[in-house]
């Protein structure tokens, strides 16, 4: 497991890599970007996600505050008559 502790990683770009099961403790990731990065199995606690944008992501199993985000988004899109491909 990769572990990043007490580091300033703002404005860093992670690209084409695996950070599966990585642990970030007391790390500043302001303005960081993640492109084609595997974060499966990651756990985020006590995080600031203000301004977070997620696009073109596999969100199966994604839970926020105990809620299944994938199921909720699909439910909302069905109500709107939209769909995810």
């Amino acid at each position: 497991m990769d572990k990043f502790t007490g580091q300033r990683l703002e404005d860093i770009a992670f690209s084409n890599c695996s950070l599966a099961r990585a642990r970030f403790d007391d790390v500043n990731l302001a303005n960081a970007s993640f492109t084609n990065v595997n974060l499966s199995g990651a756990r985020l606690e006590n995080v600031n996600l203000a301004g977070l944008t997620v696009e073109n992501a596999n969100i199966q199993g994604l839970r926020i505050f105990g809620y299944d985000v994938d199921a909720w988004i699909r439910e909302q899109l069905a109500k709107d008559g939209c769909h995810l491909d």
Side-chain angles (χ1 to χ4, degrees):
M1 169 187 352
D2 292 323
K3 185 174 180 181
F4 302 88
T5 303
Q7 297 182 26
R8 297 179 56 114
L9 299 175
E10 64 269 9
D11 297 317
I12 194 168
F14 293 95
S15 181
N16 301 314
C17 62
S18 177
L19 294 172
R21 297 181 312 277
R23 184 171 171 175
F24 293 87
D25 293 327
D26 191 27
V27 174
N28 182 350
L29 289 168
N31 298 315
S33 68
F34 295 80
T35 305
N36 195 30
V37 174
N38 179 358
L39 288 168
S40 61
R43 183 173 176 93
L44 305 175
E45 292 184 40
N46 194 26
V47 296
N48 179 351
L49 299 176
L52 174 70
T53 300
V54 177
E55 296 183 24
N56 301 320
N58 177 349
I59 59 170
Q60 290 181 331
L62 174 63
R63 301 187 75 74
I64 296 179
F65 303 122
Y67 293 96
D68 182 335
V69 175
D70 180 45
W72 180 80
I73 288 174
R74 289 189 182 281
E75 179 181 304
Q76 298 308 307
L77 291 174
K79 287 180 183 177
D80 292 340
C82 297
H83 67 281
L84 284 175
D85 294 328

